[in-house]
Amino acid sequence: MTSRPVMTLPRADVLAARWHAQQLDRAPGTAAAPDDVTMLDLGVQDTGPDGAAWALAVRGAPGVRPGSLPPTLALAWTLRGAPHVYRRADLADVAVATAPLSEADAAKRVFDASAPLRAAGVAVLDALRTEARWERELVVEPTVKGDLSTRLTQHLPEPHLRWCRSCGATHSYEQTFRLAALQAGLELEPGTSPPVLRRVPDLEPSLYGRLGAEAVPRLDVVRGYLRFFPAASVQDVAGFLEAPVKDVRAHWPDDAVRVEVADAHPGARPVERWVLADDVEHLVGATARVRDAQPGDGAPVVRLVGPYDLYLQLRDRPTLVPDAARAKDLWRVLGRPGAVLAGGEVVGTWRPRASGRRLSVLTDPWVPWDAGLTDAVAEQAERLRAFRDAASVTVSSA
């Protein structure tokens, strides 16, 4: 961490810089190819009805459709055990980048699986290697998750296993099962439910041979969080990775510089954050640049992002949504809505409803929407209709 005078930034510039860093200001279809989206360096979470494909589409990626992926992209369980989309050419390096930073990090990432392993004198990383080796051996042809789990149980020692009340069976802990899969050289078949795992062609399994601290800079997950969420804290990054703060701090980029966000929490003192040195210039005056990039009619650039879009995966939630009641609704545990974004600010939420080939978008405005904003939301709803290949779309307010 470098030492230099601390710059103070307004919240609006931080949000505008994140909006730009995540390419939400791109026009539809302007990416050169489906894999021409920088967010793929960190991974695009594939959760929700439209998932990763919609997240890529709203960032200008052409040729992406629900439930499928172009051949240049691949789906794998990685960060937080969630399915993420990456460039297929990057998968070997992604396996390194998304591996734990240390034994302590591995123990934290597998949650309650670590206690029985440690009680039996088994290092968590060794346990993950064991599961990865067996998953590699057992998946020769595409295999449904449940079938792999049943077969895996027959080979794992007792500390690896737990009784699952919901399944009515004994099997591996969920997080160790998921986190071992890419290390075993396995990817997920897009659009399958229950998930189907298959071998990644021509990919040698990593088997935790290298840990996350050895990641190439472009795919380094600590740097990645700072790239896409400039003005973040060490604790923010640790929360996103579900890693110990101590490990994240030890892996902190040398070129990270301190900044303060003056009004991130209304009524509070400035909060200490960090920015990669090369990104400082993108933060200063970011709000004005977003405003200048608006269409000639002055209408805001609007995006309808899904509930698990990267823009909403930040851990400093009050920076994006200072109102506690609205934050609770946006990030509810079950049934999350998507967010209506206008130039980086959340101006409401939305929920899609489908009936046959008819699509409706139910909105909940948080601020008064003028005609320009209302028209921009309708335009994005039409974009969603085309993405889903629905016959029609209607927009209504709650």
Side-chain angles (χ1 to χ4, degrees):
M1 301 182 185
T2 59
S3 176
R4 62 178 68 186
V6 178
M7 178 184 299
T8 299
L9 300 164
R11 167 185 171 275
D13 277 356
V14 170
L15 296 186
R18 293 176 179 183
W19 166 267
H20 178 71
Q22 296 190 29
Q23 298 181 308
L24 284 162
D25 51 358
R26 265 182 166 184
T30 53
D35 59 358
D36 178 29
V37 175
T38 57
M39 191 172 66
L40 288 163
D41 291 347
L42 188 59
V44 183
Q45 187 165 332
D46 190 40
T47 303
D50 300 300
W54 177 242
L56 293 170
V58 298
R59 289 164 173 83
V64 287
R65 292 289 180 267
S68 63
L69 286 176
T72 55
L73 301 178
L75 180 66
W77 282 319
T78 56
L79 301 174
R80 305 177 301 281
H84 284 75
V85 172
Y86 299 92
R87 299 179 189 88
R88 182 168 294 279
D90 286 339
L91 282 181
D93 288 329
V94 167
V96 176
T98 57
L101 299 169
S102 68
E103 169 66 19
D105 187 9
K108 186 172 177 64
R109 294 195 196 193
V110 301
F111 304 140
D112 56 345
S114 64
L117 292 168
R118 288 180 161 178
V122 179
V124 175
L125 280 169
D126 287 341
L128 286 167
R129 291 185 183 102
T130 296
E131 295 211 23
R133 290 189 187 99
W134 278 114
E135 288 183 19
R136 178 67 178 183
E137 182 168 328
L138 294 171
V139 177
V140 178
E141 299 295 332
T143 305
V144 176
K145 178 190 175 188
D147 293 344
L148 173 58
S149 178
T150 298
R151 295 163 62 191
L152 184 64
T153 300
Q154 300 169 11
H155 297 281
L156 292 177
E158 184 177 350
H160 290 247
L161 305 173
R162 70 179 183 93
W163 169 255
C164 178
R165 182 175 299 176
S166 61
C167 295
T170 296
H171 55 64
S172 168
Y173 284 82
E174 185 69 17
Q175 282 296 88
T176 54
F177 180 90
R178 288 178 175 235
L179 294 178
L182 182 57
Q183 299 291 324
L186 305 180
E187 63 178 316
L188 300 167
E189 287 193 359
T192 55
S193 181
V196 173
L197 293 96
R198 64 190 181 196
R199 289 189 175 189
V200 180
D202 303 318
L203 180 67
E204 285 296 319
S206 177
L207 302 173
Y208 294 96
R210 297 166 63 198
L211 299 185
E214 301 178 66
V216 298
R218 178 172 62 84
L219 303 177
D220 184 307
V221 291
V222 174
R223 291 188 66 85
Y225 190 95
L226 288 172
R227 280 175 60 198
F228 296 112
F229 295 103
S233 70
V234 176
Q235 291 76 11
D236 293 337
V237 180
F240 179 79
L241 301 180
E242 294 179 339
V245 170
K246 181 179 179 180
D247 281 285
V248 172
R249 194 181 300 278
H251 189 59
W252 205 245
D254 291 335
D255 58 338
V257 298
R258 282 183 56 197
V259 296
E260 289 181 343
V261 182
D263 50 354
H265 303 273
R269 296 172 59 186
V271 178
E272 180 185 300
R273 309 288 181 83
W274 298 85
V275 178
L276 295 174
D278 288 345
D279 293 336
V280 171
E281 63 182 271
H282 301 301
L283 279 136
V284 179
T287 305
R289 286 193 295 275
V290 167
R291 184 176 59 249
D292 293 343
Q294 290 179 357
D297 59 5
V301 175
V302 168
R303 298 290 180 259
L304 304 182
V305 299
Y308 292 91
D309 189 275
L310 182 65
Y311 195 78
L312 304 181
Q313 293 279 16
L314 76 171
R315 289 307 184 262
D316 57 321
R317 291 175 175 178
T319 302
L320 181 59
V321 182
D323 184 275
R326 286 174 171 169
K328 184 176 180 180
D329 177 60
L330 180 60
W331 287 291
R332 59 178 60 191
V333 176
L334 298 175
R336 290 184 187 183
V340 182
L341 303 178
E345 290 280 2
V346 181
V347 296
T349 62
W350 68 283
R351 297 177 185 277
R353 296 287 186 267
S355 177
R357 294 196 64 224
R358 295 191 300 274
L359 174 66
S360 61
V361 175
L362 180 64
T363 64
D364 180 13
W366 287 1
V367 296
W369 290 3
D370 60 18
L373 180 53
T374 300
D375 289 346
V377 171
E379 180 182 336
Q380 294 305 304
E382 169 60 25
R383 191 175 174 185
L384 179 66
R385 181 210 64 76
F387 170 80
R388 288 195 176 189
D389 194 28
S392 62
V393 63
T394 58
V395 181
S396 60
S397 298

